[in-house]
C-alpha cells in the first residue's frame, strides 16, 4: 500500500512541478512584474510540495519580511519548500545543482543564485547577485554549511561567503530547521534528512512513503550585524546552534 501511495504522490509531484513551470514559462511574456510572477509560481510549487509530501510545519518566531538575507542550517531539499512557504525569497545553491537535468534549469528560472563555494573567485560574483536581489526587494536564503546533513549537529558556517554582508554591515537574519516523524514511522534522520549518500529520486521515494512528517522552523529574534566576516559567521552559527534541536 505504501508503495502505491508513494507512486501516486510522485506522479503528483512531477505533474505539479512541470505544470507550474510550464505555466510560468508561457505566461511570463504577458506579466509586467516578472519578479512577482516568479515569486508567485515558486510559492505555489513550495505549497504543492508541502501538501503532496504530507509535511506539517510548525513555526516559532517571526519570519523576516523582504528584503532580507537569511541563513539557516541545511538538512534536506525539503528545507526549501518548508522555508519558502513562510519566508518569501530565493535560495543560494551549490553550483552543481545548475547542471542537474531539467531541475537545474527550473531552479535557475525560479531565481536561484548558484555559487561554487570551493572557488573563492566566484564568491564576490554571487555576493553581488544577492545585493541585486535585495535591492529589487527580494529575500535571499542561504545554507552556509554548504551541504545538507543528517541532523546531528550544525556544521561550521562558511565565513568567506559572508564577506559581502560584513563589508556592507548588512543585517543577517537566521533560523534553525529540524524534523520529526510520527510514532511508528522511520526516524526523520533516516528518511527526511538527505546526507546525499543516495540519489535524489531514491530519497524522495522513501520520503513519499511516510504518512506525514513535521518541519519545525525557529526564526531568530533579531538580525546579526558584524563588519568581520569570521565573527559574523561564528555568531550566526552559535545562534542557529542554540535554537537547533537534533533530528531524532
Amino acid at each position: 500500500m505504501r508503495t502505491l501511495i508513494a507512486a501516486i504522490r510522485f506522479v503528483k509531484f512531477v505533474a505539479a512541478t512541470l505544470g507550474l513551470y510550464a505555466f510560468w514559462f508561457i505566461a511570463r511574456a504577458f506579466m509586467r512584474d516578472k519578479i512577482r510572477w516568479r515569486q508567485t509560481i515558486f510559492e505555489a510549487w513550495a505549497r504543492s510540495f508541502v501538501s503532496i509530501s504530507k509535511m506539517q510545519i510548525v513555526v516559532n518566531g517571526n519570519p523576516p519580511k523582504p528584503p532580507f538575507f537569511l541563513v539557516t542550517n541545511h538538512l534536506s531539499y525539503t528545507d526549501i519548500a518548508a522555508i519558502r512557504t513562510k519566508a518569501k525569497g530565493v535560495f543560494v545553491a551549490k553550483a552543481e545543482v545548475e547542471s542537474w537535468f531539467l531541475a537545474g534549469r527550473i531552479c535557475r528560472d525560479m531565481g536561484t543564485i548558484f555559487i561554487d563555494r570551493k572557488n573563492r573567485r566566484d564568491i564576490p560574483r554571487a555576493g553581488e547577485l544577492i545585493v541585486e536581489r535585495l535591492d529589487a526587494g527580494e529575500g535571499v536564503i542561504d545554507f552556509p554549511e554548504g551541504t545538507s546533513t543528517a541532523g546531528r549537529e550544525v556544521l561550521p558556517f562558511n565565513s568567506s561567503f559572508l564577506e559581502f554582508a560584513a563589508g556592507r554591515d548588512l543585517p543577517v537574519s537566521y533560523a534553525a530547521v529540524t524534523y520529526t516523524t510520527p510514532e511508528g514511522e522511520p526516524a526523520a534522520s533516516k528518511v527526511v534528512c538527505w546526507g546525499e549518500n543516495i540519489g535524489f529520486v531514491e530519497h524522495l521515494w522513501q520520503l513519499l512513503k511516510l504518512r506525514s512528517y513535521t518541519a519545525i522552523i525557529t526564526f531568530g529574534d533579531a538580525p546579526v550585524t558584524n563588519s568581520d566576516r569570521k565573527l559574523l559567521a561564528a555568531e550566526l552559527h552559535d545562534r542557529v546552534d542554540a535554537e537547533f534541536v537534533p533530528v531524532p
Side-chain angles (χ1 to χ4, degrees):
M1 180 60 72
R2 290 204 179 216
T3 299
L4 177 59
I5 290 174
I8 293 172
R9 290 177 179 174
F10 184 81
V11 171
K12 287 182 177 180
F13 164 72
V14 174
T17 300
L18 297 182
L20 285 167
Y21 180 68
F23 186 35
W24 168 83
F25 188 85
I26 294 170
R28 63 177 178 165
F30 307 99
M31 298 295 175
R32 289 186 177 181
D33 191 338
K34 298 188 184 304
I35 291 178
R36 185 175 181 180
W37 177 234
R38 168 169 53 74
Q39 291 173 341
T40 298
I41 293 297
F42 190 14
E43 183 170 349
W45 174 85
R47 292 187 181 283
S48 72
F49 182 87
V50 167
S51 176
I52 292 168
S53 68
K54 303 304 177 184
M55 181 196 301
Q56 308 296 319
I57 304 177
V58 175
V59 175
N60 300 314
N62 298 312
K65 296 181 179 180
F68 62 81
F69 182 55
L70 172 73
V71 301
T72 179
N73 63 301
H74 191 24
L75 300 171
S76 177
Y77 49 84
T78 55
D79 301 344
I80 297 171
I83 294 171
R84 185 57 185 78
T85 61
K86 304 302 177 182
K88 297 181 182 297
V90 298
F91 287 80
V92 178
K94 58 184 180 181
E96 301 94 283
V97 174
E98 191 172 14
S99 65
W100 291 1
F101 173 71
L102 190 57
R105 170 67 182 271
I106 294 174
C107 289
R108 185 183 72 229
D109 287 343
M110 289 298 105
T112 301
I113 298 169
F114 297 103
I115 180 174
D116 183 355
R117 296 181 190 269
K118 298 178 182 178
N119 181 359
R120 290 186 60 86
R121 291 179 296 180
D122 195 44
I123 293 175
R125 177 197 63 81
E128 289 301 322
L129 288 177
I130 290 175
V131 172
E132 289 179 10
R133 299 293 170 79
L134 295 175
D135 288 343
E138 292 195 89
V140 179
I141 302 142
D142 179 46
F143 304 114
E145 291 171 292
T147 185
S148 56
T149 74
R152 289 186 292 271
E153 60 181 348
V154 179
L155 299 180
F157 285 179
N158 186 331
S159 65
S160 298
F161 186 59
L162 292 171
E163 187 165 358
F164 84 93
R168 291 175 171 81
D169 284 329
L170 179 71
V172 183
S173 300
Y174 64 93
V177 181
T178 191
Y179 293 95
T180 62
T181 52
E183 185 177 351
E185 293 289 319
S189 59
K190 302 295 184 182
V191 294
V192 181
C193 295
W194 185 33
E196 299 184 2
N197 56 332
I198 64 173
F200 168 73
V201 174
E202 182 180 355
H203 185 274
L204 178 61
W205 184 259
Q206 293 182 1
L207 179 77
L208 295 178
K209 288 183 178 180
L210 292 174
R211 294 199 313 272
S212 67
Y213 63 106
T214 301
I216 304 169
I217 309 172
T218 302
F219 290 97
D221 295 332
V224 176
T225 304
N226 198 308
S227 59
D228 185 306
R229 64 177 175 84
K230 292 185 177 180
L231 294 178
L232 178 61
E235 183 173 357
L236 286 167
H237 175 274
D238 289 347
R239 293 203 181 192
V240 172
D241 188 56
E243 300 291 351
F244 175 67
V245 177
V247 183

